[in-house]
Amino acid sequence: QEITISVIKADIGGMVGHSGIHTDLVALARQHLEEAQRRGVIVDYYVTWCGDDLQLIMTHRHGTDSPIVHGLAWETFERCTVKAKEMKLYGAGQDLIADAFSGNVRGMGPGVAEMSFIERPSEPIIIFMADKTSAGAWNLPLFRMFADPFNTAGLVISPALHEGFRFEVHDVKGHKRIFFNCPEEMYDLLVFIGAPGRYMIKAVYTKKGEIAAVSSTERLSLIAGHYVGKDDPVCIVRAQGIFPAVGEILEPFTMPHIVEGWMRGSHYGPLMPVPLQYAKCTRFDGPPRVVALGFQLADGRLVGPRDMFDDPAFDEARRLCNVIADHFRRHGPFEPHRLPMEEMEYTTLPEVAERLAGRWEPLPEPHPAIAGGDGSAVEAD
Ligand code: F6R
Ligand code: MG
Ligand code: MG
């Protein structure tokens, strides 16, 4: 019988500001899921956080997109919101965009990553959770894990991985998806996932169709139509055997790659791998953080977690991240620290543009020497 692992997260109130979470919310969510486990609704659970996001990790037998499990998550978030409002935490209930639950949390605000599979004799799993960034942040690390032989030695030297993997990519603006086989179609894949604001790796499969990784791809701004915060993403990755080794899954994070998010969700900055104790966003509301919790599944039970980035092996990545952060910060409101114009449409930009629309004066016609006889500009060769 298949086991389903669901990670459902939402920002239901920050402490202090958007920097972190209040432990009372974590405790309350635990209590709620504990009850659900006792009632047999879920097999096991683990409640954690990353920055201001409450993370519900659940295992169960209801399959993906289950109204029972999504309903449980929604109810948990609602209960925590009441508490958050009581404490006047910052932005209480901010990600519960819809007023009432309607069967599935997708598109209602929370982020979701879920997968179902038959548990192997031993089933190691890594759950990545990030704050102050968006779902496209997984594109580069997922590509590295499952398609880059310079990252994943197994692609070259393990018969179990040598065939490569299949990537499911979503166009979150066009609302469509496509599959790419790697290594055969690697260059085609990169054409799209290199633009992570629009094309996101939703899932990775073995060539035989076994699920290997799944990410959340909700884009809050597209859901709500105006800026309501970045959709701080989560990602589940299965490890070992026919999948990359734990170390191959963690290796991409030794390079703090540049992601969208950070202050006001409107800046590029490096993604810092941190242990849970540093999963809070301070400097310029960041820099964006990622935590990795490792579990072993045992008949659906979550044995663990192990806090994978709680390790000096990632010190250099963190140090480099700080150096990069310094350099980006010096750009202030200039691109490429600030996001490009297209990405600013959910901010003050349209307002300012509209207010100044009448103040733009046409520039004088080009000088006749550089214009064609009819006054039109001469095309460069
Ligand atoms: C980014 C984020 C923060 C806030 C910023 C302003 O995802 O959550 O950087 O955008 O702190 O927050 P408000 O507008 O709530 O004062
Ligand atoms: Mg927040
Ligand atoms: Mg957040």
Side-chain angles (χ1 to χ4, degrees):
Q1 197 195 1
E2 289 200 327
I3 186 81
T4 301
I5 176 154
S6 302
V7 184
I8 307 185
K9 46 81 44 182
D11 176 350
I12 41 117
M15 160 89 195
V16 179
H18 291 286
S19 69
I21 199 164
H22 193 291
T23 47
D24 283 6
L25 298 188
V26 179
L28 187 61
R30 276 183 190 143
Q31 209 183 308
H32 201 217
L33 294 192
E34 176 73 37
E35 276 167 34
Q37 185 189 26
R38 229 180 296 126
R39 281 185 284 125
V41 178
I42 50 176
V43 176
D44 203 0
Y45 70 91
Y46 190 79
V47 179
T48 186
W49 67 90
C50 183
D52 54 5
D53 298 306
L54 182 62
Q55 308 276 353
L56 312 178
I57 300 168
M58 296 169 285
T59 55
H60 54 89
R61 306 283 180 190
H62 305 288
T64 57
D65 282 321
S66 153
I68 297 170
V69 174
H70 284 225
L72 173 64
W74 185 264
E75 226 177 83
T76 309
F77 292 140
E78 274 189 334
R79 269 215 208 171
C80 290
T81 298
V82 172
K83 180 96 186 161
K85 285 187 169 155
E86 234 172 73
M87 286 188 282
K88 294 185 73 175
L89 296 182
Y90 196 71
Q94 86 165 41
D95 282 353
L96 303 190
I97 298 172
D99 296 324
F101 180 70
S102 61
N104 191 305
V105 295
R106 281 182 209 279
M108 297 180 82
V112 192
E114 305 182 281
M115 54 161 78
S116 299
F117 50 82
I118 304 279
E119 196 179 291
R120 294 172 290 166
S122 181
E123 188 67 62
I125 277 180
I126 308 286
I127 298 176
F128 293 101
M129 293 159 277
D131 190 36
K132 305 295 183 273
T133 182
S134 65
W138 307 127
N139 281 12
L140 188 148
L142 284 173
F143 175 81
R144 286 251 163 91
M145 289 171 213
F146 291 98
D148 179 3
F150 282 76
N151 179 89
T152 297
L155 293 170
V156 181
I157 63 177
S158 164
L161 277 72
H162 198 72
E163 263 194 307
F165 290 89
R166 188 170 161 82
F167 289 75
E168 177 180 342
V169 175
H170 286 199
D171 171 353
V172 294
K173 288 184 183 153
H175 289 286
K176 46 190 183 188
R177 69 174 182 179
I178 186 170
F179 291 85
F180 293 101
N181 286 322
C182 277
E184 308 90 284
E185 300 180 297
M186 179 191 287
Y187 299 158
D188 291 343
L189 170 72
L190 284 167
V191 166
F192 296 99
I193 63 166
R198 172 157 187 179
Y199 301 97
M200 297 167 190
I201 300 173
K202 177 67 194 176
V204 183
Y205 304 86
T206 66
K207 289 281 174 69
K208 293 194 176 70
E210 187 74 20
I211 184 83
V214 69
S215 75
S216 60
T217 50
E218 283 67 35
R219 293 216 81 188
L220 289 181
S221 53
L222 299 180
I223 294 165
H226 58 92
Y227 184 76
V228 285
K230 279 277 182 276
D231 36 354
D232 310 315
V234 292
C235 183
I236 309 171
V237 185
R238 297 171 76 190
Q240 306 292 149
I242 58 168
F243 306 115
V246 166
E248 290 166 334
I249 289 166
L250 300 176
E251 180 69 8
F253 296 92
T254 56
M255 198 278 270
H257 66 293
I258 307 302
V259 298
E260 295 187 4
W262 210 346
M263 176 56 78
R264 298 178 186 279
S266 304
H267 293 80
Y268 282 114
L271 185 62
M272 184 185 267
V274 290
L276 262 184
Q277 66 163 315
Y278 295 126
K280 56 188 172 190
C281 290
T282 51
R283 179 186 184 183
F284 200 56
D285 286 1
R289 314 274 166 131
V290 55
V291 294
L293 296 189
F295 295 92
Q296 289 286 150
L297 284 190
D299 302 317
R301 259 183 320 116
L302 290 158
V303 178
R306 176 128 301 163
D307 190 348
M308 305 307 283
F309 291 142
D310 187 7
D311 187 325
F314 291 91
D315 280 354
E316 287 310 299
R318 292 188 272 264
R319 198 190 53 82
L320 178 57
C321 191
N322 279 327
V323 174
I324 298 169
D326 277 341
H327 194 66
F328 268 74
R329 281 304 303 125
R330 288 189 198 117
H331 289 77
F334 283 77
E335 296 176 15
H337 183 26
R338 197 183 76 180
L339 295 189
M341 288 303 237
E342 313 87 77
E343 295 278 339
M344 303 290 287
E345 58 192 294
Y346 301 112
T347 66
T348 49
L349 181 88
E351 234 174 81
V352 176
E354 196 182 59
R355 179 159 49 79
L356 299 181
R359 289 206 6 220
W360 290 93
E361 300 169 24
L363 290 172
E365 291 302 316
H367 190 277
I370 57 163
D374 57 356
S376 65
V378 180
E379 273 180 40
D381 296 322

